[in-house]
Amino acid sequence: YGDMNLENRTFKAVASIDIEVMETTGCILLNSQNLIYSDIVLYDSKNHTHPYHSYLGYKEVGGTDKLSITYSEPIEAGFRGRLVFNYSGSLSYYKSQDSHGFYYVDTPNPAVDGPWMFVTQFEPNFASQAFPCWDEPGFKSTFDYTFVVPD
């Protein structure tokens, strides 16, 4: 879900991604652009209350839209679990060069509709400015997003 603050042009959100690890690894690499993470937790699909492994940290891979999450122990092939991200980001204005991911536009009738309308642009690879994901043509998935917008 996402919590919008239109006055500050920001959002806070929680994203959950169910994963299956195909090869043993010490890190998870996914797409992320211009998002700030306060917490990232990996849970085993059998136990959603305790973290599976402690993560040592995350970093944006310089000059790319990749996020690398490093763990204290290898994650074994065949592992099924859930990644949970607490994060925040900025909403850009549609007339800017950065009108990708989540952004806002002026409404045609502000007296009736309010001053802004919230919109998305996820193609060709802009979903990763809205939430962490594998934003690649070869990875197709469905997602649900719930927005909490002030009256």
Side-chain angles (χ1 to χ4, degrees):
Y1 72 92
D3 189 7
M4 302 295 175
N5 184 326
L6 294 177
E7 290 187 17
N8 291 334
R9 314 292 194 272
T10 60
F11 65 93
K12 292 182 182 178
V14 176
S16 297
I17 303 173
D18 292 329
I19 65 168
E20 179 179 355
V21 176
M22 305 308 282
E23 297 177 11
T24 299
T25 183
C27 74
I28 296 175
L29 186 67
L30 65 154
N31 298 94
S32 174
Q33 297 182 60
N34 306 317
L35 300 175
I36 300 166
Y37 295 93
S38 58
D39 197 26
I40 303 171
V41 181
L42 175 64
Y43 295 100
D44 188 305
S45 62
K46 298 172 191 151
N47 185 349
H48 288 283
T49 58
H50 298 294
Y52 179 69
H53 284 324
S54 298
Y55 80 97
L56 296 176
Y58 71 90
K59 65 178 179 177
E60 292 185 4
V61 179
T64 72
D65 66 346
K66 304 287 188 208
L67 178 73
S68 176
I69 309 164
T70 306
Y71 289 90
S72 59
E73 299 174 40
I75 304 165
E76 298 297 325
F79 171 83
R80 290 177 187 248
R82 177 171 290 167
L83 276 168
V84 179
F85 301 85
N86 286 281
Y87 66 100
S88 60
S90 297
L91 296 169
S92 60
Y93 186 54
Y94 83 102
K95 290 184 179 178
S96 75
Q97 294 291 339
D98 296 324
S99 55
H100 308 119
F102 295 141
Y103 65 102
Y104 66 98
V105 299
D106 299 318
T107 59
N109 189 349
V112 174
D113 300 322
W116 307 297
M117 179 171 46
F118 173 72
V119 294
T120 61
Q121 169 60 20
F122 290 168
E123 293 181 0
N125 64 343
F126 300 131
S128 61
Q129 292 184 19
F131 46 84
C133 57
W134 285 272
D135 196 6
E136 307 282 342
F139 295 111
K140 301 293 182 196
S141 64
T142 60
F143 61 91
D144 296 312
Y145 209 95
T146 302
F147 299 98
V148 178
V149 181
D151 291 335

